Amino acid sequence: MALKNPKEKGNSHERNVANMLTEWSGHKFLRTPSSGAIHNFHDRRVISDIVAPESLRDFPFSIECKNTEVSWEFNTIIEGTAAMWKQWEQCTTDADREEMIPMLVFTKNYRPIYVAIQQEIFDKLKIEPVSYLRVVGQENLVIIDFKEFLSLITVEELIKRLV
């Protein structure tokens, strides 16, 4: 079996995340044209990898998707050496530019999809996951299984608690 090239692997992950968000919310989320490369629309929804639909104009997250085999194992996250940290930096830079909340949705082969959000945002959502990783340091993040995250709050409640 041939391995997917990295670009196709990333595109597939973005499509999967957009489909999961669509199923969760009942509103059609889409991949950003050219994987976030279009920043000249002056539309805050078109800054990262996933575009929230016009019907959810108040959706507060700028969503960056990453599917990479570069290490982000538990010890590398704690040590601050995981590739996830550079991905988080890109995510926050894009979100800050459009005054949105950063959300990193990441995975690698044969692993679940995880979401990283800021601790203060996690606290405002008032959700109670079965398990999550709280990383305290330069960035206070919470990492949780993406499917579980979506199962714990509706899109309406999420917007209500964050906007």
Side-chain angles (χ1 to χ4, degrees):
M1 180 167 109
L3 295 176
K4 286 184 182 179
N5 71 44
K7 180 130 181 84
E8 179 51 37
K9 188 174 169 180
N11 291 344
S12 176
H13 177 56
E14 290 172 8
R15 281 191 298 274
N16 187 31
V17 170
N19 289 337
M20 291 171 74
L21 289 166
T22 296
E23 184 177 316
W24 164 69
S25 69
H27 299 262
K28 183 73 174 160
F29 281 76
L30 298 170
R31 289 181 57 235
T32 301
S34 301
S35 294
I38 297 177
H39 296 285
N40 58 347
F41 281 158
H42 305 294
D43 183 339
R44 70 183 220 133
R45 298 171 307 121
V46 185
I47 192 67
S48 54
D49 292 330
I50 304 295
V51 179
E54 183 64 32
S55 59
L56 291 178
R57 194 134 182 84
D58 290 334
F59 188 76
F61 287 105
S62 173
I63 303 171
E64 187 68 30
C65 296
K66 296 294 181 187
N67 183 355
T68 180
E69 291 308 300
V70 178
S71 182
W72 50 260
E73 299 300 330
F74 177 77
N75 65 306
T76 63
I77 292 172
I78 299 300
E79 294 163 0
T81 59
M84 184 208 85
W85 292 113
K86 286 199 186 292
Q87 296 165 356
W88 179 255
E89 185 178 327
Q90 176 190 352
C91 182
T92 58
T93 297
D94 287 350
D96 289 349
R97 188 175 11 204
E98 298 300 321
E99 299 178 358
M100 295 181 79
I101 300 169
M103 173 186 276
L104 177 63
V105 182
F106 62 103
T107 191
K108 63 192 258 183
N109 287 347
Y110 314 109
R111 297 294 172 98
I113 299 172
Y114 294 98
V115 59
I117 58 174
Q118 298 158 320
Q119 176 74 48
E120 68 181 84
I121 299 304
F122 176 79
D123 293 343
K124 286 180 183 177
L125 293 176
K126 297 180 169 85
I127 59 175
E128 296 184 23
V130 172
S131 63
Y132 62 94
L133 175 63
R134 183 171 173 230
V135 184
V136 179
Q138 184 175 350
E139 297 282 345
N140 293 327
L141 297 181
V142 169
I143 300 171
I144 181 175
D145 180 277
F146 188 54
K147 286 181 183 177
E148 182 179 9
F149 175 81
L150 296 178
S151 75
L152 294 173
I153 192 166
T154 65
V155 69
E156 294 82 11
E157 278 299 312
L158 181 142
I159 291 170
K160 181 179 171 185
R161 292 177 187 173
L162 297 179
V163 176

